[in-house]
Amino acid sequence: MTIDRRMLLRGMGRAATAGVIGAALAAGDTGRPAATARQAHPTDPRAQAAAPWAAAQPAVVPRTVWQAAPTRRKEPARTATAVKAVFIHHTNSGNDYTPAEVPDLIRYLSGDHTENRDWDDVGYNFFVDRTGTIYEGRAGGIANPVVGAHTMGFNVGTVGVAAIGSFGAGATVPAPMVEAIAQLAAWKLGMYGVDPRASTVLVSTNDASKYPEGSRTVFHTISGHRDGYWTRCPGAALYSLLPQIRDRAAHFQSRPAGPASTA
């Protein structure tokens, strides 16, 4: 989906938005949130079970920063039993936004998903902006294996991470964004002992996906949207960086260099 950012932001109270996001971000040049970040509990049983591969949780800006009103869900948020893979997306919404405009961008995407597509909530579990700031997307708890609506046929047991921007061929993917995606993937996969460099088998739940319903398909544990659906998402530039993201995520899990482990 392509967004005309000028039309999106026209008429919005950007001054108020800037004040909210300014209060939420507290890490200088990196744009990292601190005061509003949600931290994992040190006794989380999933993190303990995945040791020694559990990675530290990165700071995550909560939904309250961008959500205008509570989502009126048709049914409770669904959760899976585990996270087996992460799918990387891009929003294809342009790259010239400022940090203060990000909440408006996410709010627009959420409105498209809930109003135009009639979904219960925004489809992505997380958003990452060009400064490397991570935002909570779909409700249900950032530490939980929440079932999103991001990769048709492969939403169960996976996490959808949307890079805010357009990253087709020739685009530059900001280094802070790449690093934040790797940290986020390392944390979510590490809860279940999953190696970011490994492969996993996922079962399609929908004939509208790239693979018929019921088919078992091997994916990288960090894959692109295009791997599971007929799309160019997350764009050629970001897709080409997935090997680097896998390696960095493995680093954040303190895994040894080399081939993926089976642990």
Side-chain angles (χ1 to χ4, degrees):
M1 177 177 63
T2 302
I3 300 172
D4 185 330
R5 191 173 63 82
R6 291 171 298 178
M7 292 296 294
L8 162 64
L9 295 173
R10 184 178 297 168
M12 289 184 172
R14 282 182 285 177
T17 299
V20 173
I21 195 65
L25 302 180
D29 294 340
T30 65
R32 294 273 175 199
T36 60
R38 297 182 181 180
Q39 299 299 327
H41 194 281
T43 59
D44 187 326
R46 287 168 301 202
Q48 291 179 338
W53 308 126
Q57 179 198 314
V60 179
V61 176
R63 285 171 63 99
T64 52
V65 168
W66 62 263
Q67 187 177 33
T71 300
R72 296 182 178 178
R73 303 186 66 90
K74 298 177 182 177
E75 55 188 41
R78 296 173 56 206
T79 57
T81 57
V83 170
K84 300 179 66 176
V86 173
F87 281 103
I88 308 301
H89 305 253
H90 71 163
T91 59
N92 200 23
S93 52
N95 302 327
D96 61 342
Y97 58 87
T98 68
E101 292 170 339
V102 172
D104 284 338
L105 287 166
I106 298 176
R107 190 158 42 247
Y108 176 88
L109 290 164
S110 177
D112 175 65
H113 289 183
T114 57
E115 297 170 19
N116 298 335
R117 306 189 191 194
D118 198 29
W119 294 352
D120 285 342
D121 197 357
V122 66
Y124 306 116
N125 298 102
F126 297 93
F127 293 87
V128 181
D129 75 8
R130 64 186 182 87
T131 71
T133 302
I134 302 170
Y135 290 79
E136 177 184 12
R138 197 171 185 85
I142 61 172
N144 295 327
V146 176
V147 177
H150 50 83
T151 305
M152 181 73 77
F154 300 102
N155 290 309
V156 179
T158 66
V159 175
V161 178
I164 300 175
S166 304
F167 300 107
T172 298
V173 185
M177 172 180 279
V178 173
E179 192 79 345
I181 292 173
Q183 290 177 319
L184 179 59
W187 171 56
K188 292 298 293 185
L189 294 174
M191 288 184 181
Y192 304 91
V194 177
D195 191 328
R197 303 162 301 182
S199 297
T200 189
V201 175
L202 301 177
V203 180
S204 175
T205 62
N206 197 308
D207 282 332
S209 78
K210 200 171 185 178
Y211 302 95
E213 181 179 351
S215 60
R216 297 169 59 83
T217 305
V218 177
F219 289 90
H220 289 290
T221 53
I222 297 180
S223 290
H225 186 189
R226 65 173 63 181
D227 294 321
Y229 190 70
W230 303 107
T231 177
R232 295 181 180 179
C233 181
L238 181 52
Y239 190 80
S240 70
L241 294 178
L242 293 189
Q244 176 183 328
I245 290 173
R246 295 179 190 121
D247 286 342
R248 287 298 291 162
H251 166 76
F252 289 125
Q253 288 185 357
S254 299
R255 291 183 181 270
S261 70
T262 57

